[in-house]
Amino acid sequence: MRGTRRTRLCLAGVLAASALIATPAARAAERTDGHLTDLVNPFIGTQNEGNTFPGATVPFGMVQLSPDTGHSTGYDYTQNRIRGFSLVHLSGVGCRIGGDLPVLPTTGDVTETDYARYAAAFSHDDEEASPGYYRVGLGSGIRAELTATARTGVQRYTFPATGKANVLLNAAQSLHKPVSSTVRVLDDRTVRTEITGHGFCRDSGPYTVHTITRFNRPFTAYGTWDGRTVTPGARSGSGGAYVRFDTTKDRTVEATTALSYVDAAGAAGNLRAEGGRSFDTVRHRAREEWERRLGGVRVRGGTPTLRRTFYSSLYRSYLAPNVGGDVDGRYLGWDRRTHRARGFTYYQNWSLWDTYRTQAQLLALLAPREARDMAHSVVAIDEDGGWLPKWGYGPVETNIMSGDPVTPFLTTAYQTGLLKGFEERAYRALRKNADGVPPAANPGVGREANAEYIGYGFAPYDKDRPYAKAGDSDYHHGASVTLEYALSDAMLAQMARGLGHHEDAARYAARSRHYRNVFDPATGFFRARDASGAFTGPADPARGTGFHEGTAWQYQWLVPQDVPGMVALIGGTRAANARLDSFFAYDRLLADPEGTARQVWVHGDPYAYYNATTYNPMNEPDLVAPYTYLSTGQPWKTTDVVHAALTLFTDGPAGMTGNDDLGTMSAWNVLSSIGLFPVQPGYGTWGLTTPVFDRVDLTLDRRHWPSGRLTVTAPGTSAADRYVQGVRTDGRPHGRTYLTTGALRSLRSLAFTVGPRPSRWGTAPEAAPPVLR
């Protein structure tokens, strides 16, 4: 998902520049004492609209304590002033949200209340970040350090010797649009706030966060502000508060801020449970937690740069969804009432249009306990609020993006065994979502164009239709929405059949072929249709009319449930392969993989979605496209394309292919590097292609993956020797281009033999991934 367009320099030029300005981070990443956390560079993606954040968090933590520099989503590596260190950041989103309670240390009198005016200068030469830790030297002479637990952010500030060492807690400014805020100084160590805001890509309903900050020693003075008026000694205000310390002898100040989306009591409970520890203790525990998480995947071989980009991507894959409930299990449901999670941890923040394609599958593989609770949380959203989410932030539906992404997200959980015990509850919610639309009083839009899709076999394109609710409208993207609905129907059909709902399965399977109804034989591409059924808009498939963040060229491959059917529409396998070759600029790719990726596929602007006839590796509709060759008898070309696309991931600030979208692009990198990719998102089919490492050892949870481990080997894999010559599973020859989740559950070894030239492996018709009927 992307936000507003921003004109950017040519990506090649930005990357060349970032090779110089990223030097401190790169040097830090080179220093290693054997810890995997030392291979992670949190600055990757902080430039050129990757929209990641470099601050401190733990895996799936509620708090992401990170600096804000003035960029709409938080931190931009090209900027040089920090407005504050705030509590909430979503990794890689394209629109502003979060940034609650920016805190900044200062010295001297407090005269400014606008954080754009009192922002502190900083230099990357005096800045570092690693998983769970961030440090920066400010131009004021203050050193700021950040770390975190799941529900708290911990700060340590080292001041110059002064009697006026201040900490500013700004409740009125953030990344989102403010609605209201209150701040209260409770005693000589504690400040409490309540902050309500709204926003995201289009205005969504408001949400409220409650915070409580506890300092490790009493402050000598305090005050609050309302607007531009600062009142020393005041205990309450609507803008913010400052607290003051004497650092002539003891120059350090530590503070722990707890967060709750429920109420002030929840924040206080989170502080009692997770606060009270020294900064160094929390930092050490955060590092240990990240080390354990990253240690579930051990790679051998590859260059140092390749290992850094891999582990940095793995790190970002674990940043979201986020814990949404307090330590007592209470959470704020989508009905704006307090509920209590029993037997599971409640999670929130659902960039489903993005994550259903890659990150959901990666977490099911590597973090199944958390992934199960995430699926449980999504079902709880329906049971609490009346409908399944589309793009949820906290307790709010934003309705950003289109289609029906929640269905393949939950069917992925079903296919990987994560819904055991509540399969029917999940299915009831999915069936309601697939067969109707939310009532007018519900904030969600669901499958907004469902009546026409079910009645006429396609979602109509109506660019002038007014928005029914906050967010995007499916009617503005009728062509791509038809493809997305059809994909979801295919996946739901498989779940229905597995649960014994055979009539439903047949109905959804029939609807999964609706993608054919937006194919225009005259152009040979998918195309939008209006309410009368006529094809509409420019016939040029590069224009993108009726497609969400893409063109007909890019969306033509989004039929993973029935690739042979899509190929037949195009004109057969030979015609499909020719079109794929054109799409990937394949002849040029063979001569110059990296140059083709940067100069042909990528056009400089991360938000350049339209007017293109080539692969767009920066956006979600194309994530599965390279794997189409697995179904057209030319699997070696999947390797060529995937390995070229992997060169776009680098270890500098501009080393992301567009927005990361809560780990979506990072998960693509991780899975493609391992050689296992979910080619039918929402179903248990894992496409195979050459890994980039000689060996990858995955430690798996035996409760969900009985083998307990999986070792993937590809001895000698390299840019020259990248073609699969053969595959063996637990020592047995394997001729298909995919594995099923069922096969993967008991598998302990997946061995690739590679060589310098394509082979006949995987080229037989029966080797292709299955058609879902």
PDB file of all heavy atoms in Angstrom, residues 56-85:
ATOM      1  N   ALA A  56      13.623   1.756  18.705  1.00  0.00           N
ATOM      2  CA  ALA A  56      13.663   0.560  19.534  1.00  0.00           C
ATOM      3  C   ALA A  56      12.293  -0.088  19.661  1.00  0.00           C
ATOM      4  O   ALA A  56      11.297   0.572  19.933  1.00  0.00           O
ATOM      5  CB  ALA A  56      14.209   0.909  20.913  1.00  0.00           C
ATOM      6  N   THR A  57      12.257  -1.388  19.504  1.00  0.00           N
ATOM      7  CA  THR A  57      11.057  -2.183  19.714  1.00  0.00           C
ATOM      8  C   THR A  57      11.474  -3.619  19.934  1.00  0.00           C
ATOM      9  O   THR A  57      12.637  -3.985  19.715  1.00  0.00           O
ATOM     10  CB  THR A  57      10.101  -2.068  18.512  1.00  0.00           C
ATOM     11  OG1 THR A  57       8.846  -2.687  18.820  1.00  0.00           O
ATOM     12  CG2 THR A  57      10.686  -2.719  17.270  1.00  0.00           C
ATOM     13  N   VAL A  58      10.551  -4.448  20.386  1.00  0.00           N
ATOM     14  CA  VAL A  58      10.765  -5.886  20.471  1.00  0.00           C
ATOM     15  C   VAL A  58       9.833  -6.545  19.468  1.00  0.00           C
ATOM     16  O   VAL A  58       8.933  -5.894  18.926  1.00  0.00           O
ATOM     17  CB  VAL A  58      10.510  -6.413  21.899  1.00  0.00           C
ATOM     18  CG1 VAL A  58      11.521  -5.831  22.878  1.00  0.00           C
ATOM     19  CG2 VAL A  58       9.088  -6.116  22.358  1.00  0.00           C
ATOM     20  N   PRO A  59      10.008  -7.821  19.167  1.00  0.00           N
ATOM     21  CA  PRO A  59       9.153  -8.455  18.165  1.00  0.00           C
ATOM     22  C   PRO A  59       7.665  -8.273  18.481  1.00  0.00           C
ATOM     23  O   PRO A  59       7.199  -8.598  19.574  1.00  0.00           O
ATOM     24  CB  PRO A  59       9.565  -9.929  18.232  1.00  0.00           C
ATOM     25  CG  PRO A  59      10.984  -9.894  18.688  1.00  0.00           C
ATOM     26  CD  PRO A  59      11.051  -8.752  19.652  1.00  0.00           C
ATOM     27  N   PHE A  60       6.946  -7.723  17.523  1.00  0.00           N
ATOM     28  CA  PHE A  60       5.501  -7.513  17.593  1.00  0.00           C
ATOM     29  C   PHE A  60       5.098  -6.599  18.750  1.00  0.00           C
ATOM     30  O   PHE A  60       3.950  -6.621  19.199  1.00  0.00           O
ATOM     31  CB  PHE A  60       4.756  -8.852  17.702  1.00  0.00           C
ATOM     32  CG  PHE A  60       5.214  -9.888  16.711  1.00  0.00           C
ATOM     33  CD1 PHE A  60       5.765 -11.097  17.139  1.00  0.00           C
ATOM     34  CD2 PHE A  60       5.110  -9.662  15.349  1.00  0.00           C
ATOM     35  CE1 PHE A  60       6.188 -12.052  16.230  1.00  0.00           C
ATOM     36  CE2 PHE A  60       5.530 -10.610  14.430  1.00  0.00           C
ATOM     37  CZ  PHE A  60       6.075 -11.808  14.875  1.00  0.00           C
ATOM     38  N   GLY A  61       6.013  -5.760  19.244  1.00  0.00           N
ATOM     39  CA  GLY A  61       5.738  -4.930  20.398  1.00  0.00           C
ATOM     40  C   GLY A  61       4.690  -3.864  20.128  1.00  0.00           C
ATOM     41  O   GLY A  61       4.570  -3.332  19.022  1.00  0.00           O
ATOM     42  N   MET A  62       3.952  -3.520  21.169  1.00  0.00           N
ATOM     43  CA  MET A  62       2.986  -2.428  21.091  1.00  0.00           C
ATOM     44  C   MET A  62       3.686  -1.098  20.911  1.00  0.00           C
ATOM     45  O   MET A  62       3.173  -0.203  20.237  1.00  0.00           O
ATOM     46  CB  MET A  62       2.136  -2.399  22.372  1.00  0.00           C
ATOM     47  CG  MET A  62       1.121  -1.286  22.436  1.00  0.00           C
ATOM     48  SD  MET A  62       0.276  -1.170  24.049  1.00  0.00           S
ATOM     49  CE  MET A  62      -0.724  -2.645  24.032  1.00  0.00           C
ATOM     50  N   VAL A  63       4.879  -0.953  21.503  1.00  0.00           N
ATOM     51  CA  VAL A  63       5.628   0.301  21.472  1.00  0.00           C
ATOM     52  C   VAL A  63       6.753   0.207  20.463  1.00  0.00           C
ATOM     53  O   VAL A  63       7.498  -0.794  20.426  1.00  0.00           O
ATOM     54  CB  VAL A  63       6.185   0.625  22.871  1.00  0.00           C
ATOM     55  CG1 VAL A  63       7.199   1.759  22.807  1.00  0.00           C
ATOM     56  CG2 VAL A  63       5.046   0.990  23.817  1.00  0.00           C
ATOM     57  N   GLN A  64       6.880   1.258  19.644  1.00  0.00           N
ATOM     58  CA  GLN A  64       8.012   1.410  18.732  1.00  0.00           C
ATOM     59  C   GLN A  64       8.579   2.804  18.993  1.00  0.00           C
ATOM     60  O   GLN A  64       8.126   3.778  18.391  1.00  0.00           O
ATOM     61  CB  GLN A  64       7.593   1.260  17.270  1.00  0.00           C
ATOM     62  CG  GLN A  64       6.799  -0.005  16.963  1.00  0.00           C
ATOM     63  CD  GLN A  64       5.308   0.158  17.222  1.00  0.00           C
ATOM     64  OE1 GLN A  64       4.749   1.233  17.043  1.00  0.00           O
ATOM     65  NE2 GLN A  64       4.659  -0.907  17.664  1.00  0.00           N
ATOM     66  N   LEU A  65       9.518   2.907  19.910  1.00  0.00           N
ATOM     67  CA  LEU A  65      10.044   4.203  20.344  1.00  0.00           C
ATOM     68  C   LEU A  65      11.128   4.637  19.366  1.00  0.00           C
ATOM     69  O   LEU A  65      12.199   4.032  19.298  1.00  0.00           O
ATOM     70  CB  LEU A  65      10.610   4.075  21.759  1.00  0.00           C
ATOM     71  CG  LEU A  65      11.082   5.357  22.446  1.00  0.00           C
ATOM     72  CD1 LEU A  65       9.980   6.399  22.517  1.00  0.00           C
ATOM     73  CD2 LEU A  65      11.621   5.036  23.837  1.00  0.00           C
ATOM     74  N   SER A  66      10.846   5.702  18.612  1.00  0.00           N
ATOM     75  CA  SER A  66      11.718   6.029  17.489  1.00  0.00           C
ATOM     76  C   SER A  66      11.694   7.525  17.214  1.00  0.00           C
ATOM     77  O   SER A  66      10.708   8.205  17.510  1.00  0.00           O
ATOM     78  CB  SER A  66      11.267   5.263  16.242  1.00  0.00           C
ATOM     79  OG  SER A  66      12.198   5.385  15.179  1.00  0.00           O
ATOM     80  N   PRO A  67      12.767   8.062  16.631  1.00  0.00           N
ATOM     81  CA  PRO A  67      12.814   9.500  16.344  1.00  0.00           C
ATOM     82  C   PRO A  67      11.926   9.878  15.163  1.00  0.00           C
ATOM     83  O   PRO A  67      11.755   9.115  14.211  1.00  0.00           O
ATOM     84  CB  PRO A  67      14.289   9.736  16.003  1.00  0.00           C
ATOM     85  CG  PRO A  67      14.780   8.410  15.504  1.00  0.00           C
ATOM     86  CD  PRO A  67      14.032   7.381  16.294  1.00  0.00           C
ATOM     87  N   ASP A  68      11.378  11.086  15.253  1.00  0.00           N
ATOM     88  CA  ASP A  68      10.604  11.678  14.155  1.00  0.00           C
ATOM     89  C   ASP A  68      11.343  12.912  13.664  1.00  0.00           C
ATOM     90  O   ASP A  68      11.685  13.793  14.450  1.00  0.00           O
ATOM     91  CB  ASP A  68       9.208  12.071  14.630  1.00  0.00           C
ATOM     92  CG  ASP A  68       8.383  10.871  15.059  1.00  0.00           C
ATOM     93  OD1 ASP A  68       8.533   9.814  14.438  1.00  0.00           O
ATOM     94  OD2 ASP A  68       7.610  11.000  16.029  1.00  0.00           O
ATOM     95  N   THR A  69      11.560  12.978  12.351  1.00  0.00           N
ATOM     96  CA  THR A  69      12.361  14.055  11.783  1.00  0.00           C
ATOM     97  C   THR A  69      11.544  15.063  10.988  1.00  0.00           C
ATOM     98  O   THR A  69      12.089  16.044  10.500  1.00  0.00           O
ATOM     99  CB  THR A  69      13.441  13.484  10.852  1.00  0.00           C
ATOM    100  OG1 THR A  69      12.796  12.807   9.761  1.00  0.00           O
ATOM    101  CG2 THR A  69      14.359  12.519  11.588  1.00  0.00           C
ATOM    102  N   GLY A  70      10.261  14.809  10.814  1.00  0.00           N
ATOM    103  CA  GLY A  70       9.438  15.691   9.996  1.00  0.00           C
ATOM    104  C   GLY A  70       8.823  14.993   8.809  1.00  0.00           C
ATOM    105  O   GLY A  70       7.928  15.533   8.164  1.00  0.00           O
ATOM    106  N   HIS A  71       9.272  13.781   8.505  1.00  0.00           N
ATOM    107  CA  HIS A  71       8.649  13.001   7.449  1.00  0.00           C
ATOM    108  C   HIS A  71       7.261  12.560   7.891  1.00  0.00           C
ATOM    109  O   HIS A  71       7.011  12.358   9.079  1.00  0.00           O
ATOM    110  CB  HIS A  71       9.513  11.777   7.124  1.00  0.00           C
ATOM    111  CG  HIS A  71       9.035  10.998   5.942  1.00  0.00           C
ATOM    112  ND1 HIS A  71       8.138   9.969   6.048  1.00  0.00           N
ATOM    113  CD2 HIS A  71       9.333  11.096   4.626  1.00  0.00           C
ATOM    114  CE1 HIS A  71       7.899   9.469   4.855  1.00  0.00           C
ATOM    115  NE2 HIS A  71       8.615  10.132   3.969  1.00  0.00           N
ATOM    116  N   SER A  72       6.358  12.368   6.943  1.00  0.00           N
ATOM    117  CA  SER A  72       4.962  12.097   7.284  1.00  0.00           C
ATOM    118  C   SER A  72       4.785  10.809   8.066  1.00  0.00           C
ATOM    119  O   SER A  72       3.825  10.677   8.834  1.00  0.00           O
ATOM    120  CB  SER A  72       4.108  12.038   6.013  1.00  0.00           C
ATOM    121  OG  SER A  72       4.531  10.978   5.176  1.00  0.00           O
ATOM    122  N   THR A  73       5.675   9.830   7.885  1.00  0.00           N
ATOM    123  CA  THR A  73       5.547   8.576   8.626  1.00  0.00           C
ATOM    124  C   THR A  73       6.609   8.421   9.705  1.00  0.00           C
ATOM    125  O   THR A  73       6.725   7.350  10.289  1.00  0.00           O
ATOM    126  CB  THR A  73       5.611   7.367   7.669  1.00  0.00           C
ATOM    127  OG1 THR A  73       6.885   7.308   7.041  1.00  0.00           O
ATOM    128  CG2 THR A  73       4.518   7.451   6.613  1.00  0.00           C
ATOM    129  N   GLY A  74       7.376   9.471   9.956  1.00  0.00           N
ATOM    130  CA  GLY A  74       8.317   9.423  11.070  1.00  0.00           C
ATOM    131  C   GLY A  74       9.712   9.892  10.735  1.00  0.00           C
ATOM    132  O   GLY A  74      10.032  11.067  10.875  1.00  0.00           O
ATOM    133  N   TYR A  75      10.529   8.992  10.223  1.00  0.00           N
ATOM    134  CA  TYR A  75      11.965   9.250  10.095  1.00  0.00           C
ATOM    135  C   TYR A  75      12.388   9.194   8.636  1.00  0.00           C
ATOM    136  O   TYR A  75      12.066   8.235   7.917  1.00  0.00           O
ATOM    137  CB  TYR A  75      12.734   8.205  10.899  1.00  0.00           C
ATOM    138  CG  TYR A  75      14.246   8.362  10.907  1.00  0.00           C
ATOM    139  CD1 TYR A  75      14.887   9.016  11.954  1.00  0.00           C
ATOM    140  CD2 TYR A  75      15.028   7.818   9.899  1.00  0.00           C
ATOM    141  CE1 TYR A  75      16.262   9.142  11.990  1.00  0.00           C
ATOM    142  CE2 TYR A  75      16.408   7.940   9.916  1.00  0.00           C
ATOM    143  CZ  TYR A  75      17.028   8.605  10.968  1.00  0.00           C
ATOM    144  OH  TYR A  75      18.397   8.729  10.993  1.00  0.00           O
ATOM    145  N   ASP A  76      13.116  10.201   8.196  1.00  0.00           N
ATOM    146  CA  ASP A  76      13.679  10.237   6.850  1.00  0.00           C
ATOM    147  C   ASP A  76      15.176  10.472   6.985  1.00  0.00           C
ATOM    148  O   ASP A  76      15.611  11.462   7.578  1.00  0.00           O
ATOM    149  CB  ASP A  76      13.039  11.359   6.033  1.00  0.00           C
ATOM    150  CG  ASP A  76      13.486  11.362   4.573  1.00  0.00           C
ATOM    151  OD1 ASP A  76      14.599  10.865   4.292  1.00  0.00           O
ATOM    152  OD2 ASP A  76      12.741  11.866   3.727  1.00  0.00           O
ATOM    153  N   TYR A  77      15.961   9.569   6.425  1.00  0.00           N
ATOM    154  CA  TYR A  77      17.414   9.615   6.595  1.00  0.00           C
ATOM    155  C   TYR A  77      18.024  10.886   6.023  1.00  0.00           C
ATOM    156  O   TYR A  77      19.115  11.295   6.421  1.00  0.00           O
ATOM    157  CB  TYR A  77      18.033   8.391   5.916  1.00  0.00           C
ATOM    158  CG  TYR A  77      19.441   8.072   6.385  1.00  0.00           C
ATOM    159  CD1 TYR A  77      19.647   7.284   7.510  1.00  0.00           C
ATOM    160  CD2 TYR A  77      20.563   8.548   5.701  1.00  0.00           C
ATOM    161  CE1 TYR A  77      20.926   6.978   7.950  1.00  0.00           C
ATOM    162  CE2 TYR A  77      21.840   8.257   6.135  1.00  0.00           C
ATOM    163  CZ  TYR A  77      22.017   7.469   7.259  1.00  0.00           C
ATOM    164  OH  TYR A  77      23.283   7.181   7.691  1.00  0.00           O
ATOM    165  N   THR A  78      17.358  11.538   5.094  1.00  0.00           N
ATOM    166  CA  THR A  78      17.927  12.742   4.481  1.00  0.00           C
ATOM    167  C   THR A  78      17.699  13.995   5.322  1.00  0.00           C
ATOM    168  O   THR A  78      18.261  15.051   5.009  1.00  0.00           O
ATOM    169  CB  THR A  78      17.326  12.981   3.083  1.00  0.00           C
ATOM    170  OG1 THR A  78      15.921  13.250   3.209  1.00  0.00           O
ATOM    171  CG2 THR A  78      17.539  11.764   2.194  1.00  0.00           C
ATOM    172  N   GLN A  79      16.906  13.907   6.360  1.00  0.00           N
ATOM    173  CA  GLN A  79      16.645  15.058   7.215  1.00  0.00           C
ATOM    174  C   GLN A  79      17.603  15.067   8.406  1.00  0.00           C
ATOM    175  O   GLN A  79      18.160  14.031   8.772  1.00  0.00           O
ATOM    176  CB  GLN A  79      15.176  15.051   7.662  1.00  0.00           C
ATOM    177  CG  GLN A  79      14.226  15.188   6.476  1.00  0.00           C
ATOM    178  CD  GLN A  79      12.764  15.055   6.854  1.00  0.00           C
ATOM    179  OE1 GLN A  79      12.413  14.512   7.889  1.00  0.00           O
ATOM    180  NE2 GLN A  79      11.897  15.555   5.994  1.00  0.00           N
ATOM    181  N   ASN A  80      17.762  16.242   9.033  1.00  0.00           N
ATOM    182  CA  ASN A  80      18.811  16.380  10.044  1.00  0.00           C
ATOM    183  C   ASN A  80      18.353  17.039  11.342  1.00  0.00           C
ATOM    184  O   ASN A  80      19.170  17.561  12.090  1.00  0.00           O
ATOM    185  CB  ASN A  80      19.998  17.160   9.463  1.00  0.00           C
ATOM    186  CG  ASN A  80      19.606  18.553   8.997  1.00  0.00           C
ATOM    187  OD1 ASN A  80      18.494  19.019   9.243  1.00  0.00           O
ATOM    188  ND2 ASN A  80      20.520  19.226   8.316  1.00  0.00           N
ATOM    189  N   ARG A  81      17.040  17.002  11.608  1.00  0.00           N
ATOM    190  CA  ARG A  81      16.534  17.526  12.871  1.00  0.00           C
ATOM    191  C   ARG A  81      15.512  16.552  13.444  1.00  0.00           C
ATOM    192  O   ARG A  81      14.652  16.039  12.706  1.00  0.00           O
ATOM    193  CB  ARG A  81      15.904  18.914  12.696  1.00  0.00           C
ATOM    194  CG  ARG A  81      16.922  19.989  12.306  1.00  0.00           C
ATOM    195  CD  ARG A  81      16.249  21.341  12.092  1.00  0.00           C
ATOM    196  NE  ARG A  81      15.682  21.885  13.328  1.00  0.00           N
ATOM    197  CZ  ARG A  81      16.390  22.543  14.241  1.00  0.00           C
ATOM    198  NH1 ARG A  81      17.690  22.724  14.070  1.00  0.00           N
ATOM    199  NH2 ARG A  81      15.799  23.040  15.317  1.00  0.00           N
ATOM    200  N   ILE A  82      15.595  16.298  14.728  1.00  0.00           N
ATOM    201  CA  ILE A  82      14.686  15.387  15.410  1.00  0.00           C
ATOM    202  C   ILE A  82      13.696  16.199  16.236  1.00  0.00           C
ATOM    203  O   ILE A  82      14.079  17.009  17.070  1.00  0.00           O
ATOM    204  CB  ILE A  82      15.453  14.399  16.305  1.00  0.00           C
ATOM    205  CG1 ILE A  82      16.240  13.412  15.439  1.00  0.00           C
ATOM    206  CG2 ILE A  82      14.490  13.640  17.230  1.00  0.00           C
ATOM    207  CD1 ILE A  82      17.129  12.475  16.223  1.00  0.00           C
ATOM    208  N   ARG A  83      12.405  15.954  15.990  1.00  0.00           N
ATOM    209  CA  ARG A  83      11.355  16.670  16.706  1.00  0.00           C
ATOM    210  C   ARG A  83      11.006  16.004  18.029  1.00  0.00           C
ATOM    211  O   ARG A  83      10.430  16.638  18.917  1.00  0.00           O
ATOM    212  CB  ARG A  83      10.105  16.753  15.832  1.00  0.00           C
ATOM    213  CG  ARG A  83      10.331  17.509  14.533  1.00  0.00           C
ATOM    214  CD  ARG A  83       9.069  17.556  13.703  1.00  0.00           C
ATOM    215  NE  ARG A  83       9.246  18.399  12.521  1.00  0.00           N
ATOM    216  CZ  ARG A  83       8.269  18.749  11.703  1.00  0.00           C
ATOM    217  NH1 ARG A  83       7.035  18.331  11.935  1.00  0.00           N
ATOM    218  NH2 ARG A  83       8.506  19.516  10.661  1.00  0.00           N
ATOM    219  N   GLY A  84      11.283  14.741  18.127  1.00  0.00           N
ATOM    220  CA  GLY A  84      10.980  14.013  19.352  1.00  0.00           C
ATOM    221  C   GLY A  84      11.087  12.529  19.114  1.00  0.00           C
ATOM    222  O   GLY A  84      11.198  12.061  17.974  1.00  0.00           O
ATOM    223  N   PHE A  85      11.069  11.785  20.215  1.00  0.00           N
ATOM    224  CA  PHE A  85      11.089  10.323  20.175  1.00  0.00           C
ATOM    225  C   PHE A  85       9.704   9.861  20.604  1.00  0.00           C
ATOM    226  O   PHE A  85       9.321   9.984  21.771  1.00  0.00           O
ATOM    227  CB  PHE A  85      12.172   9.785  21.095  1.00  0.00           C
ATOM    228  CG  PHE A  85      13.531  10.368  20.823  1.00  0.00           C
ATOM    229  CD1 PHE A  85      14.048  11.377  21.629  1.00  0.00           C
ATOM    230  CD2 PHE A  85      14.283   9.937  19.743  1.00  0.00           C
ATOM    231  CE1 PHE A  85      15.299  11.927  21.370  1.00  0.00           C
ATOM    232  CE2 PHE A  85      15.531  10.482  19.470  1.00  0.00           C
ATOM    233  CZ  PHE A  85      16.043  11.485  20.286  1.00  0.00           C
TER     234      PHE A  85
END
